[in-house]
Amino acid sequence: MSSRKHRQIDRMTAEAEMTRGLKIPDESAWYGYEEDLDVRYLHGLFYGKSIEEVQSYFGEGRSIERMGELLFAPRAVFQYYVRAFAHFVMSEAAAGDSDSASPFLSLLEEREKKDPGSVRIIFPALKEALAFVAKNQAYFEASIDIYGNFNERVDKLYATVQRLTLQSRAPAKARLSCKTFES
């Protein structure tokens, strides 16, 4: 079997792992979606659909829109459908699609800033996609001059998640004493 076939099988296995046991977000998970025009639009596209069913809403310039919508989506909705985005960037349909790979990374970077912990909690499920994007910038035809270095961006995301993980594990008393010195 060719190495390309092996990579394709490895990718398909990783994609299946990423979505195993997940439930499609129900109405309670979408609570508050009406407050944001973009999230309302996302609800119209994604509500009640599986990760596989929303794949056609990514790529060909649409991933930039999905990034903006998922950035402000309720946490449970974001955590489910960001896996659809990860699934897409690992697919053959994303070949040559720099405007999918870069927005995927931007979404994770910005969402963790906006809603700390929202990416950290599901980070293990995204590692395979992040590694794929980091190692395959040329696959996406993404100029470093325009999109930045994907490997460096992923490294920074790992560092952010690791820092937040360590902070979340620190005893509450220690976190309070650190805040005292920051004032």
Side-chain angles (χ1 to χ4, degrees), residues 79-147:
Q79 290 176 331
Y80 181 81
Y81 288 112
V82 73
R83 296 165 201 244
F85 207 157
H87 182 91
F88 179 79
V89 297
M90 291 178 62
S91 73
E92 288 186 13
D97 193 351
S98 55
D99 286 335
S100 285
S102 183
F104 173 68
L105 296 178
S106 295
L107 172 61
L108 298 175
E109 294 160 347
E110 295 304 313
R111 181 67 191 221
E112 192 60 30
K113 287 179 197 170
K114 177 189 171 304
D115 182 12
S118 61
V119 174
R120 180 180 54 84
I121 292 168
I122 60 165
F123 201 72
L126 301 175
K127 282 184 175 181
E128 189 75 28
L130 287 166
F132 182 78
V133 172
K135 292 177 188 173
N136 293 288
Q137 187 149 358
Y139 174 81
F140 297 105
E141 299 176 14
S143 167
I144 290 175
D145 295 334
I146 296 170
Y147 298 99

Side-chain angles (χ1 to χ4, degrees), residues 22 46 71 73 95 129 139 145-146 156-157:
L22 293 177
F46 283 17
L71 181 60
Y139 174 81
D145 295 334
I146 296 170
K156 285 180 187 175
L157 191 56

Side-chain angles (χ1 to χ4, degrees), residues 5 22 46 53 55 69 73 80 91 108 143 159 162 180 183:
K5 276 280 188 208
L22 293 177
F46 283 17
E53 291 173 310
Q55 290 302 296
E69 296 153 358
Y80 181 81
S91 73
L108 298 175
S143 167
Q162 185 175 30
T180 305
S183 304

